[in-house]
Amino acid sequence: KPVWYLAEGTSDYGFGTYINIENPNESAATALVTYMTKSGTVPREPVRLEPMSQTVINPLDDIGTTDFSTRVECKERKSICVDRRMVWTGPGAASSEGHCSVGVTSPARRWYLAEGSSRWGFETWLLIQNPGKTNATVKVIYMIEGQGPVERTKVVNAGTRASFNMEADIGQADASIMVDSDQPVIPERAMYRYNRREGHNSIGTTTPAKSFYLAEGTTDWGFTTYVLVQNPNNEAATITVTYMTSTGAVPQPAFRMEPNSRKTINVNNVVPKKDLSIKV
């Protein structure tokens, strides 16, 4: 696609952010990069993309220390690919930590993020990018495990990025998130633990589905695997999980999920000491 959006990004708080642009075409192209900060948009000089190449941008060189989202557009309307990596060093850590995410190619009015927790020492941040010219009124629905949905209303100004702390919104809880906006936006979710000595990040999805597949997973080698299931519907759902191991499938009894709810499955408690894929 010729246009990409990255909701998360910061060069503040000890983070370094790098925007990676791939030009898979056999001719050169030009990338038009726009940062969306807390206070508005900041375009940078066009970037030449050599044929069949990777180009890396450090936003710190362009906008200094600030939170931001990024929009990358190929001027020639050629298809390119864009992702982002972030690195930091937690207090007392012996080495740096990092997370990364591919971008998305279009904003939307509704997004779903199944994982999220402000318990167990986790901090969860919802980052929302509004690339449009109209302020967005955003309903953030937290689907709290064991409790039900809690709604918070946010405003994300046109051409800006906003950050929301899950614990500030709902206290300490495990929750999935639905983002419902009156304007097309892009959210991401970032999670950290142990005073930011570890972390991960993910984009959301715009469409729930009846079947999901997770190729990676293991309960061996010191790993713990969790499956987070979100039911964003206004009616209950019946869920069946099947674990696919090297020795065959391990189907599980079906379980019921209430409307607008989230469920956490600790796979180690179900299929210990196995490498596995998962079908939900």
Side-chain angles (χ1 to χ4, degrees), residues 9-32:
T10 186
S11 48
D12 207 350
Y13 315 108
F15 285 90
T17 298
Y18 301 90
I19 308 300
N20 310 292
I21 308 172
E22 178 185 2
N23 177 15
N25 302 287
E26 295 183 354
S27 57
T30 308
L32 305 177

Side-chain angles (χ1 to χ4, degrees), residues 217-260:
T218 186
T219 57
D220 207 349
W221 324 107
F223 286 92
T224 304
T225 296
Y226 293 90
V227 176
L228 303 315
V229 186
Q230 177 182 12
N231 176 16
N233 301 286
N234 291 324
E235 58 187 68
T238 302
I239 314 297
T240 303
V241 179
T242 302
Y243 301 105
M244 301 175 186
T245 73
S246 58
T247 55
V250 183
Q252 299 298 301
F255 61 88
R256 174 188 169 94
M257 286 188 68
E258 296 301 319
N260 298 298

